[in-house]
Amino acid sequence: MKNIDSYTHLRGESLFVDDMSVTHDTLFGLTFDSPKAHGKIVSVDYSKAEQVSGVVRIFTYKDVPGVNQIGGIIPDEPLWAEDEVHFWGQPIAFIVAESEVIAKKARLLIEIEIAELPVITTAKEAKAKGSFINAPRSFEMGDTQKSFANCEHIFEGETFSNGQEHLYLETQGCYAVPLENGNIKITSSTQGPTFVQKITAQVLGVAMHKIEVDVIRLGGGFGGKEDQATPWAVMAAVAVSHLKKPVKYILNRHDDLRMTGKRHPYESFYKIGLDEDLKIQAFEVEFLQNSGAAADLSPAIAERTLFHATNSYFIPNVATTVISCKTNLPPNTAFRGFGGPQGMFVIESAIARVAHELGIDKSVLQEKNLLQENDQFSYGQIATQVEAKNSWNSVKQNFEYDILKAKVAQFNIENELFKKGISLMPITFGISFTNTPMNHARALVHIYQDGSVGVSTGAVEMGQSVNTKMLQVAAHTLGIAPEKVKLESTNTTRVANTSPTAASATADLNGKAVQKACNALIGRLTTVASNMLNVAESEIRFVDNVVKVDSEELTWEEIVAQAMLERVALTENAHYATPIIHFDKTKEKGHPFAYHVYGTALTEVTVDCLRGTYEIDAVSIVHDFGNSMNIGIDIGQVEGALAQGIGWMTMEEIAYGTDGRLLSNALSTYKVPDVFSAPKKINVRPLTTGGHDLAILKSKAVGEPPLMYGIGAYFAIQEAVIAFNSNYKPKFHSPFTPEKVLKGLYE
Ligand code: MTE
Ligand code: HPA
Ligand code: MOS
């Protein structure tokens, strides 16, 4: 089945916030943000801006009716700065005008004086100065110190992975409309409608039921709209509450790039120990997370870094610590993988380092240490239904790794100015919000009297095709054609108290709720049909829009019509909460994940050793989809995530000045993968498995895990650089831009 949005997407007819028709009295918002990264606000003069014709009002923290606070996990972030600014781009005021052009004109006339304070831009500096978000977290298993004493090989090193801009095609935005009695309806481009609702209510000092949040769909979120879609919606709502007029606010790309947080850069320090058989015995890491100026989701992201610090390997002695360092950058936030990729880059670097020092093939070390059935993770969960070796072996066989390796060696002998490199990258990713209480969802299913069906869930469609999957679940469970089912917008009045669409778990959580609701409806319709046909309920099956018993046949519509006459409820609301999972934060042990997703990628690159440029020749992947319910969509997720992962590891270079100003503030200075830099070939093969019971229809979560296949590109490029220049000392400093490659080639 195709993505249900493909027809309207292709024709440009799909609706996003900015496509909504607005009323004639709609006003337009624009943020005035800090032009310095750290300092005391001495004065702000709005008078000239206020005099611009068409400017309606400029809002600041003084206009907040409730609390000037938007922090999700820790209340450490004001909606609008009060007397201090903590990052370049921090919102200070909100200009509301008759048009965006007028608001922009007014913004230029605001005069601000800031007494500057020292600026911290790196995690290391923050650590040295004791600038932290919260207390560090540590996971431990076994005894690393004891184990190191018995290790044959021990290496210590440092790695760096840079941030990453989400670059959702649709920038942040919202449209807030006043309803009667002070109620407000907000259409928001958010992954977290309930978070927008809750924070808006808090800032306005009203009950949550006064705020309705509706989400049509997102033009991409990638984590960037999990928490950071909120401030704009809240600003617009504050303006609405004062002006009693609709307010629309769509960020332009420049403002969005400057004001929003990104993937967290990490500086990490590791120590790895192996025995004489090259089994990794001990692994210690200190992760320094560059959190930015406020917590946002940093503590949760830090936690996931610890969960994925050993990737697909079994290591008996582990001691990992993560420190969320407070800097003067925009608060960094969720980004596909949610701290997992940063953790996995470190273990892969450590293994590559050992391989380089000992002069052995990295893949030999990787293979020796792959996770096996019943191995334990550092957080206590026992690995079951492990596919690490299966996907690894499958890639090697299907894509003829040994032959490729020989060909690459031959190529490198024959070519002086071009070198090839290959790498294998296994992934293991835990599915569930790491915060157990967030793993729940609800669905509301209506069967209308004509037999058509409307489904509402807490899932937000952001291009990952979750709506298509929800529709499939409903159609499959009800035994009707997909055309009979419609997916409604995501709305807090229909489905309340939702967790954000995140953690790759949306289809599982919401899908299980849809399934439950549809099963309840089928239960009631079975009674109706069994009476109509005068047969036992056990003989009733809803398949392809009909119930057939012997030669008698009832259509879905006939049964629904009869149910109406019998006053049978044709609406069902169901709740699902993941069973089994638990986690004890005092011990840092438990069973936090419903299951893990596995896979392995084989990456092949060619480096131009004159220019330092490179091409990704091919990426071949064997991925554990479980029993995929929609292989087209799932392969699309793998391809997209892979491109995004390669971008993070190779070319996307976020740069801030030492003054905290974003230098890579446009697409002319920030390079994202395009059709030329994408792999020339991407082969994705599903691993044959039975799937997992906690996955919807046994079809495993797919959104984030494949991003980490992109890490393979870093190491393949490194292999090629070493093939050209044996003096090169691996840096483990991503992204591996052509500039760094060139320097490395001639080091
Ligand atoms: N795919 C598209 N096209 N657009 C997106 O914004 N977000 C990713 C992933 N795939 C995203 C995407 C992220 S960060 C997550 S967590 C998952 O989708 C969320 O959706 P799911 O839980 O339905 O997989
Ligand atoms: N993943 C993604 N988003 C989240 C999580 C998580 O584990 N926890 C809170 N938000
Ligand atoms: Mo995805 S980073 O969990 O939104």
Side-chain angles (χ1 to χ4, degrees), residues 30 49 52-53 55 95 100-110:
L30 188 72
V52 174
S53 162
V55 168
I95 306 158
E100 202 190 319
V101 174
I102 295 171
K104 274 189 182 159
K105 207 168 132 190
R107 181 162 74 176
L108 292 170
L109 299 174
I110 297 175

Coordinates of all heavy atoms in Angstrom, one line a residue, residues 30 49 52-53 55 95 100-110:
L30 N 6.3 37.9 14.9 CA 7.7 37.8 14.6 C 8.5 37.9 15.9 O 8.2 38.8 16.7 CB 8.1 38.9 13.6 CG 9.6 38.8 13.1 CD1 9.7 37.6 12.1 CD2 10.0 40.1 12.4
A49 N 10.0 51.0 17.1 CA 9.3 49.9 16.5 C 7.8 50.0 16.6 O 7.0 49.7 15.7 CB 9.8 48.6 17.1
V52 N 5.8 52.1 14.1 CA 5.6 51.7 12.7 C 4.2 51.5 12.4 O 3.5 50.8 13.2 CB 6.5 50.5 12.4 CG1 6.2 50.0 11.0 CG2 8.0 50.8 12.6
S53 N 3.6 52.0 11.4 CA 2.2 51.9 11.1 C 1.9 50.4 10.8 O 2.6 49.8 9.9 CB 1.9 52.8 9.9 OG 0.7 52.3 9.3
V55 N 2.0 48.1 13.2 CA 2.4 47.3 14.4 C 1.3 47.4 15.4 O 0.9 48.5 15.8 CB 3.7 47.8 14.9 CG1 4.0 47.2 16.3 CG2 4.9 47.5 14.0
I95 N 6.7 40.6 18.2 CA 6.1 41.7 17.5 C 4.9 41.2 16.8 O 4.9 40.2 16.1 CB 7.0 42.3 16.5 CG1 8.4 42.7 17.1 CG2 6.4 43.5 15.8 CD1 9.5 42.8 16.2
E100 N 3.7 40.4 8.0 CA 5.0 39.9 8.4 C 6.0 41.0 7.9 O 7.0 41.2 8.6 CB 5.3 38.6 7.7 CG 6.4 37.8 8.4 CD 6.8 36.6 7.6 OE1 6.0 35.9 7.1 OE2 8.1 36.3 7.6
V101 N 5.8 41.6 6.8 CA 6.7 42.6 6.3 C 6.8 43.8 7.3 O 7.9 44.2 7.6 CB 6.3 43.1 4.9 CG1 7.1 44.2 4.4 CG2 6.3 41.9 3.9
I102 N 5.7 44.2 7.8 CA 5.7 45.3 8.8 C 6.4 44.9 10.0 O 7.2 45.6 10.6 CB 4.2 45.7 9.1 CG1 3.5 46.3 7.8 CG2 4.1 46.7 10.3 CD1 2.0 46.5 8.0
A103 N 6.2 43.6 10.5 CA 6.8 43.2 11.7 C 8.3 43.1 11.5 O 9.1 43.5 12.4 CB 6.3 41.8 12.1
K104 N 8.8 42.8 10.3 CA 10.2 42.7 10.0 C 10.8 44.1 10.1 O 11.9 44.3 10.6 CB 10.5 42.1 8.7 CG 10.5 40.6 8.7 CD 11.0 40.1 7.3 CE 11.0 38.6 7.3 NZ 11.0 38.1 5.9
K105 N 10.1 45.0 9.5 CA 10.5 46.4 9.5 C 10.7 46.9 10.9 O 11.7 47.6 11.3 CB 9.5 47.3 8.7 CG 10.0 48.5 8.1 CD 9.0 49.0 7.1 CE 8.8 50.5 7.3 NZ 7.7 51.1 6.6
A106 N 9.7 46.6 11.7 CA 9.7 47.1 13.1 C 10.9 46.5 13.9 O 11.5 47.1 14.7 CB 8.4 46.7 13.8
R107 N 11.1 45.2 13.6 CA 12.2 44.5 14.4 C 13.5 45.2 14.2 O 14.3 45.3 15.2 CB 12.3 43.0 13.9 CG 13.4 42.2 14.6 CD 13.2 40.8 14.5 NE 13.6 40.3 13.2 CZ 13.7 39.0 12.8 NH1 13.3 38.1 13.7 NH2 14.0 38.6 11.6
L108 N 13.8 45.7 13.0 CA 15.1 46.4 12.8 C 15.2 47.7 13.6 O 16.3 48.2 13.8 CB 15.2 46.8 11.3 CG 15.3 45.6 10.3 CD1 15.2 46.1 8.9 CD2 16.7 44.9 10.6
L109 N 14.1 48.2 14.1 CA 14.1 49.5 14.9 C 14.2 49.3 16.4 O 14.2 50.3 17.1 CB 12.8 50.3 14.5 CG 12.7 50.7 13.0 CD1 11.4 51.3 12.7 CD2 13.9 51.6 12.6
I110 N 14.2 48.0 16.8 CA 14.3 47.8 18.3 C 15.8 48.0 18.7 O 16.7 47.5 18.0 CB 13.8 46.4 18.7 CG1 12.3 46.2 18.3 CG2 14.1 46.1 20.2 CD1 11.8 44.8 18.5

